[in-house]
Each structure stands twice: as C-alpha cells, then as structure tokens.
Coordinates of all heavy atoms in Angstrom, one line a residue:
M1 N 150.8 272.2 170.5 CA 150.9 270.8 171.1 C 150.1 270.9 172.5 O 150.2 271.8 173.2 CB 152.4 270.5 171.4 CG 153.2 270.4 170.2 SD 153.2 268.8 169.5 CE 154.8 268.2 169.9
K2 N 149.5 269.7 172.8 CA 148.8 269.6 174.0 C 149.3 268.3 174.7 O 149.6 267.3 174.1 CB 147.3 269.4 173.8 CG 146.6 270.8 173.5 CD 145.2 270.6 173.0 CE 144.4 269.9 174.1 NZ 143.0 269.7 173.6
Y3 N 149.4 268.4 176.0 CA 150.0 267.3 176.8 C 149.0 266.9 177.9 O 148.4 267.7 178.6 CB 151.3 267.7 177.4 CG 152.3 268.2 176.4 CD1 152.4 269.6 176.1 CD2 153.1 267.3 175.7 CE1 153.2 270.1 175.2 CE2 154.0 267.8 174.7 CZ 154.0 269.2 174.5 OH 154.9 269.7 173.5
A4 N 148.9 265.5 178.1 CA 148.1 265.0 179.2 C 148.7 263.8 179.8 O 149.3 262.9 179.1 CB 146.7 264.6 178.7
L5 N 148.8 263.8 181.1 CA 149.4 262.7 181.9 C 148.3 261.8 182.5 O 147.5 262.2 183.3 CB 150.3 263.2 183.0 CG 151.0 262.1 183.7 CD1 152.1 261.5 182.9 CD2 151.6 262.6 185.1
Y6 N 148.3 260.5 182.1 CA 147.4 259.5 182.6 C 148.2 258.9 183.8 O 149.3 258.5 183.7 CB 147.1 258.4 181.6 CG 146.2 259.0 180.5 CD1 146.7 259.9 179.6 CD2 144.9 258.7 180.4 CE1 145.9 260.5 178.6 CE2 144.1 259.2 179.4 CZ 144.6 260.2 178.5 OH 143.8 260.7 177.6
Y7 N 147.5 258.9 185.0 CA 148.2 258.5 186.2 C 147.2 258.1 187.3 O 146.0 258.2 187.1 CB 149.0 259.7 186.8 CG 148.2 260.7 187.4 CD1 148.1 260.8 188.8 CD2 147.3 261.6 186.7 CE1 147.3 261.7 189.5 CE2 146.5 262.5 187.4 CZ 146.5 262.5 188.7 OH 145.6 263.4 189.4
Y8 N 147.7 257.5 188.4 CA 146.9 257.4 189.6 C 147.9 257.7 190.8 O 149.1 257.5 190.7 CB 146.1 256.1 189.7 CG 146.8 254.8 189.7 CD1 147.5 254.3 190.8 CD2 146.7 254.1 188.5 CE1 148.1 253.1 190.7 CE2 147.3 252.8 188.4 CZ 148.0 252.3 189.5 OH 148.6 251.1 189.4
D9 N 147.3 258.1 191.9 CA 148.1 258.6 193.0 C 149.0 257.6 193.6 O 150.1 258.0 194.0 CB 147.2 259.2 194.1 CG 146.6 260.6 193.6 OD1 147.3 261.3 192.9 OD2 145.5 260.9 194.0
S10 N 148.6 256.4 193.8 CA 149.4 255.4 194.5 C 150.5 254.8 193.7 O 151.2 253.9 194.2 CB 148.5 254.3 195.2 OG 147.8 253.6 194.1
C11 N 150.6 255.2 192.5 CA 151.7 254.7 191.6 C 153.0 255.5 191.8 O 153.0 256.6 191.5 CB 151.2 254.8 190.1 SG 152.5 254.7 188.9
P12 N 154.0 254.8 192.2 CA 155.3 255.5 192.5 C 155.9 256.1 191.3 O 156.6 257.2 191.3 CB 156.2 254.5 193.2 CG 155.6 253.2 192.8 CD 154.1 253.4 192.6
F13 N 155.8 255.4 190.1 CA 156.3 255.9 188.9 C 155.6 257.2 188.4 O 156.2 258.1 187.9 CB 156.3 254.9 187.8 CG 157.0 253.6 188.2 CD1 156.2 252.5 188.7 CD2 158.3 253.5 188.1 CE1 156.8 251.4 189.1 CE2 159.0 252.3 188.5 CZ 158.2 251.2 189.0
C14 N 154.3 257.2 188.7 CA 153.5 258.4 188.4 C 154.0 259.6 189.3 O 154.1 260.7 188.8 CB 152.0 258.2 188.7 SG 151.3 256.9 187.6
Q15 N 154.2 259.3 190.6 CA 154.7 260.3 191.5 C 155.9 261.0 191.0 O 156.1 262.2 191.2 CB 154.8 259.8 192.9 CG 153.5 259.5 193.6 CD 152.6 260.7 193.7 OE1 153.0 261.8 193.9 NE2 151.3 260.5 193.7
R16 N 156.8 260.2 190.4 CA 158.1 260.7 189.9 C 157.8 261.8 188.8 O 158.4 262.8 188.8 CB 158.9 259.6 189.2 CG 159.7 258.8 190.1 CD 160.6 257.9 189.3 NE 161.1 256.8 190.1 CZ 161.6 255.7 189.6 NH1 161.7 255.5 188.3 NH2 162.0 254.7 190.4
V17 N 156.9 261.5 188.0 CA 156.5 262.4 186.9 C 155.8 263.6 187.4 O 156.1 264.7 187.1 CB 155.7 261.7 185.8 CG1 155.3 262.7 184.7 CG2 156.4 260.5 185.2
L18 N 154.8 263.3 188.3 CA 154.0 264.4 188.9 C 154.9 265.5 189.6 O 154.7 266.7 189.5 CB 153.0 263.9 189.9 CG 151.8 263.1 189.3 CD1 151.1 262.3 190.4 CD2 150.9 264.0 188.5
R19 N 156.0 265.0 190.2 CA 156.9 265.9 191.0 C 157.6 266.9 190.0 O 157.9 268.0 190.5 CB 158.0 265.1 191.7 CG 157.6 264.8 193.2 CD 158.8 264.4 194.0 NE 159.5 263.2 193.5 CZ 159.1 262.0 193.8 NH1 158.1 261.7 194.6 NH2 159.8 261.0 193.3
V20 N 157.8 266.5 188.8 CA 158.6 267.4 187.9 C 157.6 268.3 187.1 O 158.1 269.3 186.6 CB 159.5 266.7 186.9 CG1 160.4 265.7 187.6 CG2 158.7 266.0 185.8
L21 N 156.3 268.1 187.1 CA 155.4 268.9 186.3 C 155.5 270.4 186.6 O 155.5 271.2 185.7 CB 154.0 268.4 186.4 CG 153.7 267.0 185.8 CD1 152.2 266.8 185.8 CD2 154.2 266.9 184.4
P22 N 155.6 270.8 187.9 CA 155.6 272.2 188.2 C 156.9 272.9 187.6 O 156.9 274.1 187.5 CB 155.6 272.3 189.7 CG 155.1 271.0 190.2 CD 155.5 270.0 189.2
N23 N 157.9 272.1 187.3 CA 159.2 272.7 186.8 C 159.4 272.6 185.3 O 160.5 272.9 184.9 CB 160.3 272.0 187.6 CG 160.2 272.1 189.1 OD1 159.8 273.2 189.6 ND2 160.4 271.0 189.8
V24 N 158.4 272.1 184.6 CA 158.6 272.1 183.1 C 157.9 273.3 182.5 O 157.1 273.9 183.1 CB 158.1 270.7 182.5 CG1 158.8 269.5 183.2 CG2 156.6 270.6 182.7
N25 N 158.2 273.5 181.2 CA 157.8 274.7 180.6 C 156.5 274.6 179.8 O 156.2 275.6 179.1 CB 158.9 275.2 179.6 CG 160.2 275.6 180.3 OD1 160.1 276.3 181.3 ND2 161.3 275.2 179.8
V26 N 155.8 273.5 180.0 CA 154.5 273.4 179.3 C 153.4 273.0 180.3 O 153.7 272.3 181.3 CB 154.6 272.3 178.2 CG1 155.5 272.8 177.0 CG2 155.0 271.0 178.7
P27 N 152.2 273.4 180.0 CA 151.1 272.9 180.9 C 150.8 271.4 180.5 O 150.8 271.0 179.3 CB 149.9 273.8 180.5 CG 150.2 274.4 179.2 CD 151.7 274.3 179.0
V28 N 150.6 270.6 181.5 CA 150.3 269.2 181.3 C 149.0 268.9 182.1 O 149.0 269.1 183.3 CB 151.4 268.2 181.8 CG1 151.0 266.8 181.7 CG2 152.7 268.5 181.1
E29 N 148.0 268.5 181.4 CA 146.7 268.2 182.0 C 146.8 266.8 182.8 O 147.4 265.9 182.2 CB 145.6 268.1 181.0 CG 144.2 267.8 181.6 CD 143.2 267.5 180.5 OE1 143.3 268.0 179.4 OE2 142.2 266.8 180.8
K30 N 146.4 266.8 184.0 CA 146.5 265.5 184.7 C 145.1 264.7 184.6 O 144.1 265.3 184.8 CB 146.8 265.8 186.2 CG 148.1 266.4 186.4 CD 148.5 266.5 187.8 CE 147.9 267.6 188.6 NZ 148.2 267.6 190.0
R31 N 145.2 263.5 184.2 CA 144.0 262.6 184.0 C 144.2 261.4 184.9 O 144.9 260.5 184.6 CB 143.9 262.3 182.5 CG 143.7 263.5 181.6 CD 143.5 263.1 180.2 NE 143.2 264.4 179.4 CZ 143.0 264.4 178.1 NH1 143.2 263.3 177.4 NH2 142.8 265.5 177.5
N32 N 143.4 261.4 186.0 CA 143.5 260.4 187.0 C 142.6 259.2 186.5 O 141.4 259.3 186.5 CB 143.0 260.9 188.3 CG 143.2 259.9 189.5 OD1 143.0 258.7 189.3 ND2 143.7 260.5 190.6
V33 N 143.3 258.1 186.2 CA 142.6 256.9 185.6 C 141.9 256.1 186.7 O 141.0 255.4 186.4 CB 143.5 256.0 184.8 CG1 144.1 256.8 183.6 CG2 144.6 255.4 185.7
A34 N 142.3 256.3 188.0 CA 141.6 255.6 189.1 C 140.2 256.3 189.4 O 139.3 255.6 189.8 CB 142.5 255.6 190.3
Q35 N 140.2 257.6 189.2 CA 139.0 258.4 189.6 C 138.0 258.5 188.4 O 136.9 258.7 188.6 CB 139.4 259.8 190.1 CG 140.0 259.8 191.4 CD 140.4 261.2 191.9 OE1 140.3 262.1 191.1 NE2 140.7 261.3 193.2
H36 N 138.6 258.3 187.2 CA 137.8 258.6 186.0 C 138.0 257.4 185.0 O 139.0 257.4 184.3 CB 138.1 259.9 185.3 CG 137.9 261.1 186.3 ND1 136.7 261.6 186.6 CD2 138.9 261.8 187.0 CE1 136.9 262.6 187.5 NE2 138.2 262.7 187.7
A37 N 137.1 256.5 185.0 CA 137.2 255.3 184.1 C 137.3 255.6 182.7 O 138.0 254.9 181.9 CB 136.0 254.3 184.4
H38 N 136.7 256.8 182.2 CA 136.8 257.1 180.8 C 138.2 257.4 180.4 O 138.6 257.2 179.2 CB 135.8 258.2 180.4 CG 136.1 259.5 181.0 ND1 135.7 259.9 182.3 CD2 136.7 260.6 180.5 CE1 136.1 261.1 182.6 NE2 136.7 261.6 181.5
F39 N 139.0 257.9 181.3 CA 140.4 258.2 181.0 C 141.1 256.9 180.7 O 141.9 256.7 179.8 CB 141.1 259.0 182.0 CG 140.7 260.4 182.1 CD1 140.7 261.1 183.3 CD2 140.4 261.2 180.9 CE1 140.3 262.5 183.4 CE2 140.0 262.5 181.0 CZ 139.9 263.1 182.2
R40 N 140.9 255.9 181.6 CA 141.6 254.6 181.5 C 141.1 253.9 180.2 O 141.9 253.4 179.4 CB 141.2 253.7 182.7 CG 141.9 252.3 182.6 CD 141.5 251.4 183.7 NE 141.9 251.9 185.0 CZ 143.1 251.8 185.5 NH1 144.0 251.1 184.9 NH2 143.4 252.3 186.7
N41 N 139.8 254.1 179.9 CA 139.2 253.5 178.7 C 139.8 254.1 177.4 O 140.1 253.3 176.5 CB 137.7 253.6 178.7 CG 137.0 252.8 179.8 OD1 137.7 251.9 180.4 ND2 135.8 253.1 180.1
E42 N 140.0 255.4 177.4 CA 140.5 256.0 176.2 C 142.0 255.6 176.0 O 142.4 255.4 174.9 CB 140.3 257.5 176.1 CG 141.0 258.3 177.1 CD 140.5 259.8 177.2 OE1 139.3 260.0 176.8 OE2 141.3 260.6 177.7
Q43 N 142.7 255.5 177.1 CA 144.1 255.1 177.0 C 144.2 253.7 176.4 O 145.0 253.4 175.5 CB 144.8 255.2 178.3 CG 146.3 254.7 178.3 CD 146.9 254.5 179.6 OE1 146.5 255.0 180.6 NE2 148.0 253.8 179.6
Y44 N 143.3 252.8 177.0 CA 143.4 251.4 176.6 C 142.9 251.3 175.1 O 143.5 250.5 174.3 CB 142.5 250.5 177.4 CG 142.6 249.1 177.1 CD1 143.7 248.3 177.4 CD2 141.6 248.5 176.3 CE1 143.8 247.0 177.1 CE2 141.7 247.2 175.9 CZ 142.8 246.4 176.3 OH 143.0 245.1 175.9
A45 N 141.9 252.1 174.7 CA 141.4 252.0 173.3 C 142.5 252.4 172.3 O 142.7 251.8 171.3 CB 140.2 252.9 173.2
A46 N 143.4 253.3 172.7 CA 144.4 253.8 171.8 C 145.7 253.0 171.9 O 146.4 252.9 170.8 CB 144.7 255.3 172.2
T47 N 146.0 252.4 173.0 CA 147.3 251.8 173.2 C 147.3 250.3 173.5 O 148.3 249.6 173.4 CB 148.1 252.5 174.3 OG1 147.5 252.2 175.6 CG2 148.2 254.0 174.1
H48 N 146.1 249.8 173.8 CA 145.9 248.4 174.3 C 146.7 248.2 175.6 O 147.1 247.0 175.8 CB 146.2 247.4 173.2 CG 145.2 247.5 172.1 ND1 144.0 247.0 172.1 CD2 145.4 248.2 170.9 CE1 143.3 247.3 171.0 NE2 144.2 248.0 170.2
R49 N 147.0 249.2 176.3 CA 147.7 249.1 177.6 C 147.1 250.0 178.6 O 146.5 251.0 178.3 CB 149.2 249.5 177.5 CG 150.0 248.7 176.6 CD 151.4 249.2 176.4 NE 152.2 249.2 177.7 CZ 153.4 249.6 177.8 NH1 154.1 250.1 176.8 NH2 154.0 249.6 179.0
T50 N 147.1 249.6 179.9 CA 146.6 250.4 181.0 C 147.7 250.9 181.9 O 147.5 251.5 182.9 CB 145.6 249.6 181.8 OG1 146.2 248.4 182.3 CG2 144.4 249.3 181.0
T51 N 149.0 250.7 181.5 CA 150.1 251.1 182.3 C 150.2 252.6 182.4 O 150.0 253.3 181.5 CB 151.4 250.6 181.6 OG1 151.3 249.2 181.4 CG2 152.6 250.9 182.5
V52 N 150.4 253.0 183.6 CA 150.7 254.4 183.9 C 152.1 254.5 184.6 O 152.5 253.6 185.2 CB 149.6 255.0 184.8 CG1 148.3 255.2 184.1 CG2 149.4 254.2 186.1
P53 N 152.7 255.7 184.5 CA 152.3 256.9 183.8 C 152.4 256.7 182.3 O 153.2 256.0 181.8 CB 153.3 257.9 184.3 CG 154.6 257.1 184.6 CD 154.1 255.8 185.1
C54 N 151.5 257.5 181.7 CA 151.5 257.5 180.2 C 151.2 259.0 179.8 O 150.3 259.6 180.3 CB 150.4 256.6 179.7 SG 150.3 256.5 177.9
L55 N 152.1 259.5 178.9 CA 151.9 260.9 178.5 C 151.3 260.9 177.1 O 151.8 260.2 176.2 CB 153.3 261.6 178.4 CG 153.2 263.0 178.0 CD1 152.6 263.9 179.1 CD2 154.6 263.6 177.7
L56 N 150.2 261.6 176.9 CA 149.6 261.8 175.6 C 150.1 263.1 175.0 O 149.9 264.2 175.7 CB 148.1 261.8 175.7 CG 147.3 262.2 174.5 CD1 147.6 261.3 173.3 CD2 145.8 262.3 174.8
I57 N 150.7 263.0 173.9 CA 151.1 264.2 173.2 C 150.3 264.4 171.9 O 150.2 263.5 171.1 CB 152.6 264.0 172.7 CG1 153.5 263.7 173.9 CG2 153.1 265.3 172.0 CD1 154.8 263.0 173.6
E58 N 149.6 265.5 171.9 CA 148.7 265.8 170.7 C 149.1 267.0 169.9 O 149.4 268.0 170.5 CB 147.2 266.0 171.2 CG 146.6 264.8 171.8 CD 145.1 265.1 172.1 OE1 144.9 265.9 173.0 OE2 144.2 264.4 171.5
D59 N 149.2 266.7 168.6 CA 149.7 267.8 167.7 C 148.6 267.8 166.6 O 148.6 267.0 165.7 CB 151.0 267.4 167.1 CG 151.6 268.6 166.3 OD1 150.9 269.6 166.2 OD2 152.7 268.4 165.7
G60 N 147.6 268.7 166.8 CA 146.4 268.6 165.9 C 145.7 267.3 166.1 O 145.4 266.9 167.2
D61 N 145.5 266.6 165.0 CA 144.8 265.3 165.1 C 145.8 264.1 165.3 O 145.4 263.0 165.3 CB 143.8 265.1 164.0 CG 144.5 265.1 162.6 OD1 145.7 265.3 162.6 OD2 143.7 265.0 161.6
Q62 N 147.1 264.4 165.4 CA 148.1 263.4 165.6 C 148.3 263.1 167.1 O 148.4 264.1 167.9 CB 149.5 263.9 165.1 CG 149.5 264.2 163.6 CD 150.2 263.1 162.9 OE1 149.7 262.0 162.8 NE2 151.3 263.4 162.3
Q63 N 148.3 261.9 167.4 CA 148.5 261.5 168.9 C 149.7 260.6 169.0 O 150.0 259.7 168.2 CB 147.3 260.7 169.3 CG 146.0 261.5 169.5 CD 145.0 260.7 170.3 OE1 145.0 259.4 170.3 NE2 144.1 261.4 170.9
Q64 N 150.5 260.9 170.1 CA 151.6 260.0 170.4 C 151.4 259.7 171.9 O 151.2 260.6 172.7 CB 153.0 260.7 170.2 CG 154.2 259.8 170.5 CD 155.5 260.6 170.4 OE1 155.5 261.7 169.9 NE2 156.5 260.0 171.0
W65 N 151.6 258.4 172.2 CA 151.4 258.0 173.6 C 152.8 257.5 174.1 O 153.4 256.6 173.5 CB 150.4 256.8 173.7 CG 149.0 257.2 173.3 CD1 148.5 257.3 172.1 CD2 147.9 257.6 174.2 NE1 147.2 257.7 172.1 CE2 146.8 257.8 173.4 CE3 147.8 257.6 175.6 CZ2 145.6 258.2 173.9 CZ3 146.5 258.0 176.1 CH2 145.4 258.3 175.3
M66 N 153.3 258.1 175.2 CA 154.6 257.7 175.7 C 154.5 257.1 177.0 O 153.9 257.6 178.0 CB 155.4 259.0 175.8 CG 156.9 258.8 176.2 SD 157.8 260.4 176.4 CE 157.9 260.8 174.7
F67 N 155.1 255.9 177.2 CA 155.2 255.2 178.4 C 156.6 255.4 179.0 O 157.5 255.9 178.4 CB 154.9 253.7 178.2 CG 153.5 253.4 177.8 CD1 153.1 253.3 176.5 CD2 152.5 253.3 178.8 CE1 151.8 253.1 176.1 CE2 151.2 253.0 178.5 CZ 150.8 252.9 177.1
E68 N 156.8 254.9 180.2 CA 158.1 254.9 180.9 C 158.4 256.2 181.6 O 158.6 257.2 180.9 CB 159.3 254.5 180.0 CG 159.3 253.0 179.6 CD 159.4 252.1 180.8 OE1 160.0 252.5 181.9 OE2 158.8 251.0 180.8
S69 N 158.3 256.3 182.9 CA 158.4 257.5 183.7 C 159.7 258.2 183.3 O 159.7 259.5 183.1 CB 158.4 257.2 185.2 OG 159.3 256.2 185.6
A70 N 160.8 257.5 183.2 CA 162.1 258.2 182.9 C 162.1 258.9 181.5 O 162.6 260.0 181.3 CB 163.3 257.2 183.0
D71 N 161.5 258.2 180.5 CA 161.4 258.8 179.2 C 160.5 260.0 179.2 O 160.8 261.0 178.5 CB 160.8 257.7 178.2 CG 161.8 256.6 177.9 OD1 163.0 256.7 178.3 OD2 161.4 255.6 177.4
I72 N 159.4 259.9 179.9 CA 158.4 261.0 180.0 C 159.1 262.2 180.7 O 159.0 263.4 180.2 CB 157.2 260.6 180.8 CG1 156.4 259.5 180.0 CG2 156.3 261.8 181.1 CD1 155.3 258.9 180.8
I73 N 159.8 262.0 181.8 CA 160.5 263.1 182.4 C 161.5 263.7 181.5 O 161.6 265.0 181.4 CB 161.1 262.6 183.7 CG1 160.0 262.3 184.8 CG2 162.1 263.7 184.3 CD1 160.5 261.5 186.0
R74 N 162.3 262.9 180.9 CA 163.4 263.4 180.0 C 162.7 264.2 178.9 O 163.2 265.3 178.5 CB 164.2 262.2 179.4 CG 165.5 262.6 178.8 CD 166.3 261.4 178.3 NE 166.5 260.4 179.3 CZ 166.0 259.2 179.3 NH1 165.3 258.8 178.2 NH2 166.2 258.3 180.2
Y75 N 161.7 263.7 178.3 CA 161.0 264.4 177.2 C 160.5 265.8 177.7 O 160.7 266.8 177.0 CB 159.8 263.6 176.7 CG 159.0 264.3 175.7 CD1 159.4 264.4 174.3 CD2 157.8 264.8 176.0 CE1 158.6 265.0 173.4 CE2 157.0 265.5 175.1 CZ 157.4 265.6 173.8 OH 156.6 266.2 172.9
L76 N 159.7 265.8 178.8 CA 159.1 267.1 179.2 C 160.2 268.1 179.6 O 160.0 269.3 179.4 CB 158.3 266.8 180.5 CG 156.9 266.1 180.2 CD1 156.2 265.7 181.5 CD2 156.0 266.9 179.3
Q77 N 161.4 267.6 180.1 CA 162.4 268.6 180.5 C 163.1 269.2 179.3 O 163.9 270.1 179.4 CB 163.4 267.9 181.4 CG 162.8 267.7 182.8 CD 163.7 267.0 183.8 OE1 164.6 266.2 183.4 NE2 163.4 267.2 185.0
T78 N 162.9 268.6 178.1 CA 163.5 269.2 176.9 C 162.7 270.3 176.2 O 163.1 270.9 175.3 CB 163.8 268.1 175.8 OG1 162.6 267.6 175.3 CG2 164.7 267.0 176.3
L79 N 161.4 270.4 176.7 CA 160.5 271.3 176.0 C 160.7 272.8 176.5 O 161.2 273.0 177.6 CB 159.0 270.9 176.3 CG 158.7 269.5 175.7 CD1 157.3 269.1 176.2 CD2 158.8 269.4 174.2
Ligands
GSH1 N1 158.8 251.1 184.1 C1 157.6 251.8 184.2 C2 156.7 251.1 185.3 C3 155.3 251.5 185.2 C4 154.4 250.6 186.1 O1 154.8 249.5 186.5 N2 153.2 251.1 186.4 C5 152.2 250.3 187.1 C6 151.7 251.1 188.3 S1 152.8 251.5 189.5 C7 151.1 249.9 186.2 O2 150.5 250.7 185.5 N3 150.7 248.6 186.3 C8 149.5 248.1 185.6 C9 149.7 247.9 184.1 O3 150.8 247.8 183.6 O4 148.6 247.7 183.5 C10 157.8 253.3 184.4 O5 158.8 253.6 185.0 O6 156.9 254.1 184.0

C-alpha cells in the first residue's frame, strides 16, 4: 500500500492531519497542491473535487481517495 496526502500549508484541516503523520506507522508522501498544480490537477481529475486534506490510498492499480480530516486521521491511526 502507498499513501499520499494532498494538502496546503494554510489549511487548518490539513494541519490537523500533518501533525499526526510523524506518529503513524506508515510513510505518507506529502503533496502540496498550492506549490504543485499537477497534484491539484490529478486530484481533481480523479475525484472532481479540490478539497484538502485528501488522502490517496494506492493498492497496486486500485486507488481510493479519502476526504475529511477526522476520517483520514482515524484511518491512519489504525494502520
Ligand atoms: N470538513 C473538512 C473540511 C475541509 C475544507 O474545508 N478544506 C478547505 C481548505 S481549509 C478546502 O479545501 N476548500 C476548497 C474546496 O473545497 O475546494 C475536513 O475536515 O477535512
């Protein structure tokens, strides 16, 4: 499984998720959508939403996109 967090720094919901990343048991790649338009574009292409935070969960060629900071935190803490 691979994990990537779409976020930008001034988003308080993103900050909630970013704060827990050092304490979870999996590596999560950080993808700043404000600094890199291609990250925002790929999120929008897949979900038709630009809302952050958004966690991409990849299992081989399967993709799951998870929204809602509380859900993302709860999910990451169970891994
Ligand atoms: N309830 C959501 C709120 C997320 C949210 O409102 N994100 C804002 C940034 S702080 C956003 O991405 N707004 C732009 C959009 O939805 O396209 C959560 O907790 O994750």
Side-chain angles (χ1 to χ4, degrees):
M1 297 275 251
K2 281 171 59 181
Y3 304 94
L5 182 72
Y6 292 70
Y7 77 101
Y8 55 80
D9 284 328
S10 61
C11 161
F13 303 100
C14 300
Q15 289 299 331
R16 279 189 200 164
V17 179
L18 290 166
R19 267 199 300 276
V20 309
L21 292 189
N23 303 317
V24 301
N25 293 318
V26 292
V28 179
E29 182 188 334
K30 294 192 284 178
R31 296 184 176 173
N32 188 319
V33 299
Q35 290 180 347
H36 303 284
H38 67 277
F39 288 146
R40 181 181 298 276
N41 294 342
E42 69 192 21
Q43 180 192 340
Y44 184 77
T47 68
H48 296 281
R49 295 177 63 179
T50 55
T51 306
V52 288
C54 178
L55 182 70
L56 171 60
I57 304 160
E58 288 186 298
D59 186 4
D61 57 4
Q62 299 258 64
Q63 288 192 336
Q64 182 189 346
W65 297 79
M66 182 181 291
F67 291 94
E68 290 299 328
S69 53
D71 291 346
I72 294 169
I73 290 168
R74 196 177 307 116
Y75 173 80
L76 289 173
Q77 287 178 335
T78 64
L79 297 175

